[in-house]
Amino acid sequence: MPDTQALVNEFVLKLKRRKVEGSQATAKQTAELLRSVISQQRVPPHTNQAGVLIDAIKAVGEQLIAANPVELAVGNVVRRVLHIIREEDLSLATTAIGGLGLSAESDNEDNVEQDDHPGLSAAVVAAASRFTLRAPSLHTLLEGIPDAAAAHHTSSSGGDSEGKSKSDKSLRIRKLKHDVIEAVNQLLQEIDTCHELIAEQAVEHIHQNEVILTLGRSRTVMEFLCAAKEKKRSFRVFVAEGAPRYQGHILAKELVARGLQTTVITDSAVFAMISRVNMVIVGAHAIMANGGVIAPVGLNMVALAAQRHAVPFVVVAGSHKLCPLYPHNPEVLLNDLRSPAELLDFGEFSDCMDFGSGNGAPLLHVVNPAFDYVPPKLVSLFITDT
């Protein structure tokens, strides 16, 4: 089995070199890596099991996020996995406390010492207690053990009891890791099926003889439009080409291959054509906590045109793109500057690139941002897989 750190280093290198295409692929590979970290993480005895896993995931997550801060799906998946660990630990703690008889009916019945559950943190025990009908006080837990129960516990504290205790601890550790890995597997399944779950809703939003506008290429948008076509909806799609990468050309070919009527337009023609459009449907790179959208460059212009003509602006995105951060958070990097070669041929513009000014700076600067920020007031509807 490959070493965990080697897997982490390999994925960090991929993120730094932008070798992972698409947020879905990034989210999936991140979840698979974190699953491997959990599976291979050793949990020492007499420690907080969940705490060890959380520390390991946090350490790996910090490396992944630092490798490519623009890819917010990485941080989203890391936070989801941390939430899974806490939820599964809380569930096990609730079960353990239920076994100790910490309910309204059994506060005064036989209890065992808290030492039988050394892996449960105080925070988890407190949280689990809130799930019971009436949470007992800490004094009740530690001091309210009847004499008969204490005598019974003392009489059975020989080697067999010690061996059983160690066995129970080992079982609890394996149980927690197993439950967490199962939950991460469910997360991976959600990521894999997000396009299909979103596409199932297409027939509710796209109607007969409508004109739909989109920009660039998004697999989620393509599956959404094709799902409506399969439900016998007849409609036309305007595809803005999405300069300078022209991903709209690829989307147009894919839509035509699936039998959709498609028209390719330039990005600058969006405002001229928007009056003929019934709905704008686009994908997203990330959806922020305030409802703002980080989307491929050019979409803010499309959103403004749609607002001007009262055309609904619909964003389709999987739940792995929902980010709990705000655009003004210092750790959020909203944009990525791509190579100027996508805009200009260096051979033709080499004279302009010369350091001809007195301060040693080139006379011509080329800025090629990858993303736009669309404020929440311009978005009409979000469609996700949940």
Side-chain angles (χ1 to χ4, degrees):
M1 184 176 292
D3 178 58
T4 303
Q5 192 56 48
L7 293 174
V8 172
N9 294 338
E10 180 183 356
F11 190 52
V12 165
L13 196 59
K14 283 184 179 180
L15 290 174
K16 286 182 177 179
R17 294 178 176 178
R18 310 297 198 265
K19 294 293 185 180
V20 186
E21 284 293 333
S23 295
Q24 186 193 25
T26 303
K28 183 177 179 180
Q29 293 185 34
T30 302
E32 290 173 343
L33 175 63
L34 297 182
R35 182 180 60 184
S36 298
V37 171
I38 293 168
S39 177
Q40 299 182 33
Q41 179 65 40
R42 299 187 64 181
V43 181
H46 304 291
T47 58
N48 181 5
Q49 306 150 25
V52 172
L53 296 180
I54 287 172
D55 290 342
I57 295 300
K58 281 184 176 179
V60 173
E62 288 172 358
Q63 295 181 59
L64 301 182
I65 293 171
N68 188 355
V70 178
E71 194 54 78
L72 297 177
V74 173
N76 297 340
V77 172
V78 171
R79 282 182 284 269
R80 282 284 298 273
V81 172
L82 290 173
H83 175 72
I84 285 171
I85 295 173
R86 295 187 180 102
E87 285 293 302
E88 295 300 334
D89 187 41
L90 179 61
S91 176
L92 288 176
T94 306
T95 304
I97 288 180
L100 289 173
L102 300 183
S103 63
E105 295 84 7
S106 59
D107 281 349
N108 296 321
E109 294 178 2
D110 292 353
N111 289 306
V112 295
E113 292 182 357
Q114 195 180 19
D115 289 342
D116 280 350
H117 298 270
L120 303 179
S121 66
V124 170
V125 171
S129 295
R130 289 197 292 271
F131 283 81
T132 62
L133 296 177
R134 180 163 60 88
S137 66
L138 184 62
H139 177 78
T140 305
L141 287 175
L142 298 179
E143 302 296 337
I145 302 177
D147 294 339
H152 175 74
H153 182 76
T154 303
S155 64
S156 61
S157 60
D160 293 342
S161 176
E162 183 179 351
K164 184 177 183 299
S165 177
K166 290 182 179 179
S167 175
D168 289 345
K169 294 167 191 171
S170 177
L171 285 173
R172 282 197 299 274
I173 292 172
R174 290 200 298 269
K175 173 68 174 170
L176 176 62
K177 291 178 68 172
H178 176 269
D179 290 349
V180 170
I181 290 173
E182 284 297 313
V184 174
N185 287 337
Q186 292 178 7
L187 172 60
L188 281 165
Q189 187 176 6
E190 287 178 20
I191 296 172
D192 277 335
T193 60
C194 69
H195 297 306
E196 291 79 1
L197 294 175
I198 293 172
E200 288 176 359
Q201 307 170 58
V203 72
E204 302 173 15
H205 301 280
I206 298 178
H207 305 100
Q208 195 73 6
N209 299 323
E210 285 190 333
V211 178
I212 309 298
L213 172 69
T214 188
L215 180 142
R217 179 182 182 271
S218 165
R219 183 187 166 191
T220 311
V221 172
M222 184 192 72
E223 297 291 346
F224 193 81
L225 296 174
C226 292
K229 170 68 175 178
E230 291 171 0
K231 296 295 184 181
K232 309 302 180 184
R233 291 283 194 269
S234 176
F235 58 95
R236 173 174 289 276
V237 183
F238 287 170
V239 180
E241 58 186 359
R245 301 181 70 195
Y246 301 106
Q247 293 292 300
H249 297 174
I250 301 174
L251 177 64
K253 291 180 181 179
E254 293 171 338
L255 294 177
V256 170
R258 303 282 285 269
L260 276 81
Q261 302 179 52
T262 306
T263 302
V264 177
I265 63 173
T266 62
D267 297 345
S268 56
V270 166
F271 199 89
M273 304 294 289
I274 196 73
S275 60
R276 300 170 56 185
V277 171
N278 299 103
M279 183 184 300
V280 176
I281 302 177
V282 298
H285 177 71
I287 300 173
M288 309 306 292
N290 66 334
V293 178
I294 299 178
V297 66
L299 277 180
N300 186 56
M301 169 194 69
V302 176
L304 288 170
Q307 184 192 49
R308 176 71 176 176
H309 288 267
V311 175
F313 186 88
V314 178
V315 177
V316 292
S319 56
H320 60 275
K321 294 185 179 181
L322 301 178
C323 183
L325 303 177
Y326 288 86
H328 59 261
N329 288 141
E331 66 268 30
V332 175
L333 193 59
L334 290 181
N335 226 322
D336 189 19
L337 297 180
R338 296 188 180 274
S339 169
E342 294 181 346
L343 294 176
L344 298 178
D345 184 343
F346 283 113
E348 296 179 6
F349 288 85
S350 58
D351 295 340
C352 303
M353 299 290 183
D354 288 342
F355 291 83
S357 60
N359 59 1
L363 295 175
L364 177 66
H365 296 269
V366 180
V367 180
N368 183 17
F371 302 112
D372 260 347
Y373 174 70
V374 181
K377 65 180 181 180
L378 299 181
V379 181
S380 307
L381 179 68
F382 291 107
I383 301 176
T384 73
D385 51 320
T386 54

